[in-house]
Amino acid sequence: MSRSKPSVIVLGWEFSRTGGVQEVSRQVAETLSRSTAFDARVVQYPRIEKFAAVVRMWLARTAGRGTACVFMHPHIFEECAGLWSGANAPATVVWAYGSDVWGEFGRRYASALPTATRVIAISGYTAARVLENFPEADVSVIRLAVDDPPTVARDVGPGFEIVTVARLAGDEEAKGHDLVLRALGLLAARGLRIPYHVVGTGPDQPRLVRMARDLGLADQVIFHGYVPDDEKERIYARSAAFVMPSHVVRRDRAPWSGEGFGLVYLEAALRGLPVIACDEGGQAECVVDGTTGFLVRPDPEVIADRIAHLASHPDECSRLGEGGREFVRRRFTPAHFRADLERIVSEAVGKRAGR
């Protein structure tokens, strides 16, 4: 590595697009690797302890004063925080997302956060939860970036269809699929039957399939499971609105549920879909109520009313969709992300060096 500029080591579990943490890790790794401000090295941190111990030994020898270590998860930092002491320790930058740092679970399992040179939260909501747990932490917020979508023409037919894109994990009931199904049941009782595309897979799918059947919705809820990107784009193109009323569920000792941010809301908005989301959690920073969609309480009646409103006001759907595109393109760009990330890493290196 060159001595003319700071060395940066990025440590993450995975650097792919298969989940929110992985997508952020990919963005950070690619941004710092391409940066002219740093010499960056990307290291995959093993989940198997005997291999992780080898990485920690290497890290203890390699990283020192003038180096920044960027940890893509608080739990990785938790395992590495004791590697250094004294004046030769590197700057440490730790990314924080959602349930990993919220509530009592965060206090217990991210307890090293106050020792980080800088904590980067993916939303103001998560930053506030970090400071509730660790008032002494040095926290900044970085807005994530969303890639421009492929050119796929909108193909909304004469009907009105909605879509949710999210994993169907058993511990993720707070994604809001249940609320959407109950809302559609209420609308069906009013004589309004709206097709619902559920994109994503996971162990909670059988329960949701049964729930749809019990509510009399089996003929209008399509469980697509995992779909490749081109098929997902076609589903977005035919859908009139994106509905994902994910909400925060607070628990005393277990991890909370909820969105630390919600890249998928921006993904949908960038494709011209109005978004219905709940009004608490990081996703509330991805939706401008009345401009790009609606922020609602996690209440099936309220969600049903908003869906029905959009179904009967196609002009408003178009207005909100265009508002969403403009909002995302203005605020969540790769250029903003790169500038914020480079600035914060540089500040952390300077702070650790006493400059």
Side-chain angles (χ1 to χ4, degrees):
M1 291 186 181
S2 169
R3 296 181 181 180
S4 62
K5 49 190 175 180
S7 299
V8 176
I9 301 171
V10 182
L11 297 108
W13 281 315
E14 296 176 51
F15 299 91
S16 67
R17 295 171 181 259
T18 58
V21 174
Q22 293 88 341
E23 171 65 15
V24 177
S25 299
R26 180 191 67 82
Q27 287 190 21
V28 171
E30 290 184 357
T31 299
L32 293 177
S33 295
R34 294 170 181 168
S35 173
T36 60
F38 309 103
D39 280 325
R41 177 181 296 181
V42 177
V43 176
Q44 185 159 328
Y45 190 83
R47 290 183 182 269
I48 299 174
E49 171 53 29
K50 65 179 180 179
F51 299 124
V54 173
V55 172
R56 289 196 296 273
M57 290 174 59
W58 170 83
L59 198 62
R61 294 194 307 267
T62 304
R65 189 179 182 89
T67 302
C69 293
V70 180
F71 297 91
M72 295 312 305
H73 199 282
H75 295 171
I76 300 177
F77 180 61
E78 198 77 12
E79 295 187 10
C80 299
L83 294 178
W84 309 279
S85 62
N88 289 323
T92 51
V93 178
V94 185
W95 282 80
Y97 303 94
S99 59
D100 46 296
V101 293
W102 295 349
E104 183 180 344
F105 182 86
R107 286 194 297 276
R108 293 167 60 194
Y109 293 104
S111 60
L113 275 185
T115 69
T117 312
R118 185 72 64 89
V119 177
I120 300 177
I122 63 171
S123 65
Y125 187 86
T126 286
R129 304 290 78 75
V130 171
L131 290 171
E132 280 180 353
N133 282 337
F134 310 110
E136 66 275 34
D138 188 349
V139 186
S140 297
V141 177
I142 288 185
R143 296 191 185 110
L144 304 178
V146 185
D147 294 331
D148 283 334
T151 303
V152 178
R154 300 284 290 136
D155 189 28
V156 180
F160 182 91
E161 304 180 13
I162 63 174
V163 61
T164 302
V165 179
R167 64 179 178 263
L168 308 180
D171 61 348
E172 292 287 345
E173 291 182 24
K175 290 289 183 186
H177 294 91
D178 303 64
L179 294 170
V180 180
L181 292 175
R182 292 190 180 98
L184 292 178
L186 295 171
L187 292 175
R190 303 180 198 174
L192 183 60
R193 301 189 69 83
I194 293 175
Y196 177 32
H197 299 278
V198 180
V199 176
T201 189
D204 202 32
Q205 182 167 332
R207 182 187 70 85
L208 293 171
V209 170
R210 289 193 300 273
M211 184 178 181
R213 184 184 63 238
D214 293 345
L215 289 169
L217 306 173
D219 61 340
Q220 68 188 81
V221 180
I222 306 98
F223 288 91
H224 293 272
Y226 167 80
V227 299
D229 287 346
D230 58 347
E231 177 61 20
K232 184 173 70 171
E233 294 300 333
R234 285 192 286 271
I235 295 169
Y236 272 136
R238 68 182 292 178
S239 300
F242 181 86
V243 185
M244 191 170 117
S246 178
H247 53 288
V248 175
V249 177
R250 292 168 170 78
R251 301 183 176 98
D252 289 338
R253 301 185 67 82
W256 294 10
S257 291
E259 300 298 316
F261 183 66
L263 279 167
V264 69
Y265 296 95
L266 302 181
E267 181 181 271
L270 197 54
R271 286 153 177 79
L273 278 70
V275 172
I276 297 176
C278 282
D279 57 4
E280 184 185 24
Q283 79 282 350
E285 298 165 41
C286 302
V287 181
V288 181
D289 190 46
T291 299
T292 72
F294 298 117
L295 293 172
V296 300
R297 302 190 313 276
D299 181 330
E301 288 277 2
V302 176
I303 295 164
D305 288 344
R306 285 306 190 187
I307 294 173
H309 176 81
L310 290 177
S312 60
H313 294 81
D315 290 345
E316 185 163 7
C317 274
S318 297
R319 177 183 67 81
L320 294 170
E322 286 305 312
R325 277 200 185 102
E326 196 276 332
F327 171 67
V328 175
R329 287 172 175 162
R330 185 179 71 249
R331 293 173 61 90
F332 300 96
T333 67
H336 284 129
F337 180 81
R338 180 178 64 252
D340 288 344
L341 180 59
E342 289 184 349
R343 173 180 55 80
I344 286 174
V345 173
S346 294
E347 289 174 355
V349 172
K351 178 179 178 180
R352 188 68 193 87
R355 295 195 296 269

